[in-house]
Amino acid sequence: MTSIMYPQTRRADVTETHFGHRIADPYRWLENDARHDPEVAGWARQQNDLARAYLDGLPGRDVFRKQLSELFDFEQAGVPLKRGDRYFHIKRQGLKNQGALHVRMGVDGPDRVLIDPNDWSDDGADAIAEWDASHDGAYVAYGVQRGGTDWREIKVLDVDMGELLGDEIKWARFGNIAWAKDGSGFFYSRYPEPELGTASHAGVANHAVYLHRLGTPQADDRLVHATPDRPHLLHLAGATEDGRYLVIHSTPGSSMTMLSVVDLSDGDWTVRTVVGEDFAAEWSAVGNDGTTLFVITTQDAPRRKIVTIDLAEAAPKPLDLVREDEAVLQHAWLVGRRLMAAYLVDAKTAIRRHALDGTPDGEVELPGIGSAGIRGTLDDDEAFLVFTSFNAPMTIYRYDVATKARTVWAQPKVKFDLTAIEVEQHFYASKDGTTIPMFVVRRRDTQAPAPTLLYGYGGYGISMTPYYAPTQLSWVAQGGVLAIANIRGGGEYGKAWHDAGRLANKQNSFDDFIAAAEHLRDTGIAGTDGIAIQGESNGGLLVAAVVNQRPDLFAAALPGVGVLDLLRFHHFTGGSFWTFDFGDPRDEAAFNNLLALSPYHNVTSGNAYPAILVTTADADDRVVPGHSFKYIAAIQAADIGPRPRLLRVETRAGHGAGKPLDKVIAETADMWAFAAHWTGLEIGRPDRR
């Protein structure tokens, strides 16, 4: 095995004492923004050059790149938003880097391109983010995401003229766009303008909701809601379909929310907190019928239930409408005078219909086992059903609520025989005996054992449900196995499942992932040295943590945009929001737990580690690249065996959203070629094309 000469990384004498622990942090200087610090930029460039030289020499890279291009080369329509006779939707065509916003007159009319971000930059790294059309369909307000950042500029387009208005909103972030019913303006959330040069790294505080009136400067926007006494709350605003209420969900960054409403028919626009001021439960408004607000909550229902709140009452109390079930309630919608509720049953979607009084009204028939949702309005029987699975690209159906009829509205035509893909669900025991579900996806002709890519996330109550991903399909198409573990910390079985993998229980997520790999090995699905693991963001933390704990179990590891320094994450951008899942390093008990888990602080010399390819991006202002920089410096300096430890840094890209397709394909080809080399996946065979 050829020895790799890693770039020299300067070690600084930085040591701090926290709760009796002396913590060395020799690579803290790598937290600086490479776009502004020449030393960090030079170091990152050396790391990228090393990775590039290694990855370019892998024989499978070109095969994966070609196949990924073929798998992504189809037309993908998003779920339409109906405004009068106009239907707005995002559509990505072939290998274009970004999806464009289209509109059509009538449900089956021809599409017209309204906004095409593919012309905004030479590298295709600028994207449409959040957007909404006015109720009469005359205007579209949309967020512009530049180079992957979480910051947004909001612009307004005249739909008939196809021209931009002069309105421009800056420093929007973590929010929605919601039009006033009369089309005179829209609501949005923003932060104060950061100090010059700090936008990419500095912590964020004082999120607030504003109304922007068309034709006026942003300085004149009306402040609707802010909490200066609680500056770290997020405030997400949405208008009810009838335009009467503005509903504001406030959160410290968790699923626990405070629900407030503004009666927009009252000129005073008083913000009225309805429920959740103690942040002890989730309260998520679904919609309204007159003064009746329909709300999903976890109060006394860890798997969620639906309640109603009468806003006409002076002191309204939530009344149970659809009680908690054994299945986990995920979402709900008011469509065609029906209440539609999507449930997870072992991480698979079922949609149940109810009358508005809660009476059961059957189910929405789905095309198969997968993930699904609905978009529509309360008084319109025309709705749109979206469905996807591991072997089914996202298809949009027109759904008639009254007759339950379903017809295809947009279905991709992919260049691969999806009937060749087999999907199984396995259940295995974790370290403490808890049963964990896991999806296993492979070609029907794949012979076990086969090199296996194990993916996980396990945080923030986010469920890993079946969905179509050309990136993952390319691994399967080449004869590899894809396994997705529904580990604790996610939301597959409700709040209790989430709680079992956060704070002091965070180790459970890691144990579940380790047990998934052991199950794959012990059942002969994967070979003894044929498992690669991958995850991003919280999943990047997961991957790096289990490598420290069980380096013998994996052939390769791919931690992407990960939270890898668990003692300092709260110092950067929105990191303070993550204390709900990780714990607060400023608290002694939480600090001690995080110190034992933090990937950066637990690299152990003397153990043989798997091959590691760390991926991050220079413009990631959610999980700043300093996490990955410090971690790779630590593992390159450690005596952990001869397998490579490389860092790949994408430019003009962020945490993932808005990344141009050509960058997605290039990065994925690098990762899969790296994993294939170290797991022994034989790629490029004629029967794998």
Side-chain angles (χ1 to χ4, degrees):
M1 193 177 296
T2 304
S3 177
I4 296 177
M5 295 296 294
Y6 297 107
Q8 291 294 312
T9 303
R10 176 172 63 85
R11 292 177 60 91
D13 184 15
V14 178
T15 305
E16 295 177 345
T17 300
H18 299 276
F19 306 111
H21 299 279
R22 285 181 56 81
I23 307 298
D25 192 3
Y27 305 118
R28 183 171 295 183
W29 63 276
L30 289 171
E31 294 176 351
N32 294 341
D33 190 336
R35 293 168 296 176
H36 305 300
D37 186 314
E39 184 182 12
V40 178
W43 177 89
R45 188 163 49 251
Q46 286 182 299
Q47 293 286 347
N48 244 353
D49 289 346
L50 174 65
R52 189 75 274 139
Y54 183 92
L55 295 168
D56 286 348
L58 294 176
R61 182 171 167 270
D62 289 341
V63 175
F64 277 117
R65 191 163 190 155
K66 181 176 183 293
Q67 184 159 64
L68 283 159
S69 296
E70 292 173 352
L71 290 172
F72 271 108
D73 192 7
F74 63 91
E75 186 174 277
Q76 178 68 75
V79 185
L81 172 67
K82 183 180 179 181
R83 294 299 196 210
D85 293 328
R86 288 174 164 153
Y87 295 75
F88 298 84
H89 65 106
I90 296 286
K91 182 164 65 177
R92 185 183 58 76
Q93 295 174 298
L95 295 177
K96 288 190 175 182
N97 275 319
Q98 302 291 349
L101 183 64
H102 292 67
V103 66
R104 63 173 64 174
M105 289 296 293
V107 68
D108 294 319
D111 280 339
R112 172 166 64 96
V113 178
L114 275 181
I115 305 166
D116 187 354
N118 291 289
D119 301 327
W120 291 352
S121 62
D122 292 338
D123 62 356
D126 295 345
I128 299 172
E130 302 78 16
W131 62 274
D132 190 26
S134 60
H135 287 260
D136 60 2
Y139 301 105
V140 170
Y142 62 97
V144 176
Q145 181 186 26
R146 300 199 185 279
T149 178
D150 279 339
W151 292 108
R152 306 287 192 259
E153 302 166 25
I154 301 177
K155 299 178 182 291
V156 183
L157 183 83
D158 182 307
V159 173
D160 285 332
M161 300 297 292
E163 296 177 353
L164 286 173
L165 304 186
D167 303 69
E168 185 173 87
I169 303 299
K170 294 185 176 181
W171 307 116
R173 186 169 180 166
F174 301 146
N176 308 310
I177 297 171
W179 280 90
K181 185 71 172 181
D182 63 3
S184 62
F186 55 87
F187 299 92
Y188 68 98
S189 300
R190 61 160 292 187
Y191 284 105
E193 180 176 354
E195 294 182 15
L196 186 66
T198 66
S200 63
H201 269 59
V204 289
N206 293 305
H207 208 226
V209 178
Y210 287 85
L211 171 72
H212 174 72
R213 295 285 187 191
L214 295 185
T216 65
Q218 183 175 2
D220 293 345
D221 288 357
R222 178 174 179 176
L223 175 63
V224 178
H225 184 54
T227 52
D229 56 324
R230 286 175 287 184
H232 294 296
L233 291 181
L234 287 174
H235 304 294
L236 310 177
T240 55
E241 191 65 31
D242 63 4
R244 177 169 179 180
Y245 298 107
L246 185 72
V247 180
I248 302 172
H249 298 91
S250 300
T251 172
S254 69
S255 58
M256 304 305 172
T257 46
M258 176 173 68
L259 183 62
S260 305
V261 297
V262 178
D263 188 340
L264 299 175
S265 66
D266 182 347
D268 290 340
W269 283 13
T270 301
V271 179
R272 176 188 181 194
T273 298
V274 179
V275 283
E277 199 163 9
D278 58 358
F279 293 101
E282 174 187 352
W283 299 93
S284 300
V286 172
N288 72 308
D289 184 17
T291 61
T292 301
L293 192 65
F294 294 76
V295 180
I296 293 174
T297 184
T298 56
Q299 186 181 59
D300 302 321
R303 292 183 299 280
R304 297 190 183 90
K305 62 182 178 181
I306 302 174
V307 301
T308 57
I309 298 174
D310 188 351
L311 298 178
E313 296 181 0
K317 295 186 180 299
L319 301 176
D320 284 1
L321 183 71
V322 179
R323 296 182 182 275
E324 183 183 27
D325 190 85
E326 286 299 313
V328 177
L329 176 64
Q330 286 287 97
H331 306 287
W333 307 269
L334 295 176
V335 181
R337 305 300 301 177
R338 291 291 186 273
L339 174 63
M340 307 287 191
Y343 287 85
L344 278 188
V345 181
D346 290 331
K348 305 176 292 287
T349 302
I351 300 181
R352 302 173 187 172
R353 296 166 47 115
H354 301 269
L356 296 185
D357 64 1
T359 304
D361 185 38
E363 290 199 5
V364 176
E365 183 181 354
L366 300 180
I369 294 173
S371 303
I374 281 183
R375 170 179 268 178
T377 57
L378 175 64
D379 294 316
D380 192 344
D381 279 338
E382 182 182 60
F384 292 90
L385 172 71
V386 58
F387 177 83
T388 184
S389 191
F390 296 116
N391 54 0
M394 189 173 76
T395 299
I396 314 298
Y397 298 88
R398 190 182 182 200
Y399 180 74
D400 188 304
V401 178
T403 66
K404 302 183 181 180
R406 185 187 79 217
T407 56
V408 172
W409 187 77
Q411 186 170 38
K413 297 178 181 179
V414 301
K415 299 175 181 178
F416 188 83
D417 179 13
L418 295 174
T419 63
I421 303 301
E422 179 180 68
V423 181
E424 302 170 344
Q425 190 172 36
H426 291 231
F427 295 87
Y428 64 92
S430 189
K431 182 179 180 179
D432 62 0
T434 300
T435 299
I436 312 294
M438 176 168 59
F439 292 105
V440 175
V441 185
R442 53 190 161 184
R443 292 177 62 121
R444 296 185 188 278
D445 59 359
T446 294
Q447 298 296 311
T452 299
L453 179 67
L454 173 60
Y455 178 85
Y457 187 78
Y460 302 96
I462 296 172
S463 302
M464 297 291 103
T465 60
Y467 70 99
Y468 185 76
T471 49
Q472 295 175 332
L473 182 60
S474 66
W475 177 269
V476 175
Q478 288 297 324
V481 176
L482 169 68
I484 298 178
N486 300 108
I487 62 179
R488 284 174 286 183
E492 288 84 351
Y493 294 104
K495 184 176 182 296
W497 197 253
H498 178 204
D499 288 345
R502 70 181 186 95
L503 302 177
N505 298 322
K506 189 66 179 173
Q507 180 62 42
N508 285 337
S509 297
F510 306 157
D511 290 341
D512 294 352
F513 202 57
I514 289 168
E518 292 175 329
H519 174 82
L520 292 167
R521 180 198 61 192
D522 295 346
T523 56
I525 295 171
T528 55
D529 195 26
I531 299 176
I533 52 174
Q534 192 237 342
E536 296 179 341
S537 194
N538 183 79
L541 160 64
L542 169 71
V543 167
V546 300
V547 163
N548 280 340
Q549 296 179 12
R550 284 294 305 276
D552 60 297
L553 194 53
F554 313 110
L558 304 166
V561 292
V563 184
L564 306 180
D565 183 343
L566 288 179
L567 304 186
R568 287 182 55 77
F569 65 85
H570 58 298
H571 289 288
F572 306 106
T573 64
S576 61
F577 300 136
W578 312 337
T579 58
F580 181 80
D581 242 60
F582 298 156
D584 191 336
R586 293 163 292 194
D587 171 78
E588 183 174 5
F591 180 92
N592 290 334
N593 184 54
L594 293 170
L595 178 59
L597 303 177
S598 178
Y600 173 57
H601 298 92
N602 287 279
V603 178
T604 306
S605 288
N607 291 329
Y609 273 47
I612 300 173
L613 175 60
V614 179
T615 53
T616 188
D618 65 351
D620 190 346
D621 51 9
R622 190 171 305 179
V623 180
V624 295
H627 283 275
S628 295
F629 290 0
K630 292 168 62 175
Y631 170 72
I632 199 71
I635 62 174
Q636 286 179 353
D639 178 15
I640 54 176
R643 292 190 175 187
R645 290 95 76 183
L646 304 174
L647 173 67
R648 185 189 191 279
V649 185
E650 190 59 85
T651 57
R652 285 231 335 129
H655 200 57
K659 183 180 290 186
L661 182 58
D662 60 0
K663 292 181 187 290
V664 171
I665 289 172
E667 181 180 62
T668 305
D670 284 344
M671 292 193 301
W672 287 183
F674 185 85
H677 178 74
W678 289 101
T679 59
L681 178 63
E682 184 182 351
I683 58 179
R685 287 169 46 185
D687 61 337
R688 296 298 188 234
R689 294 173 185 170

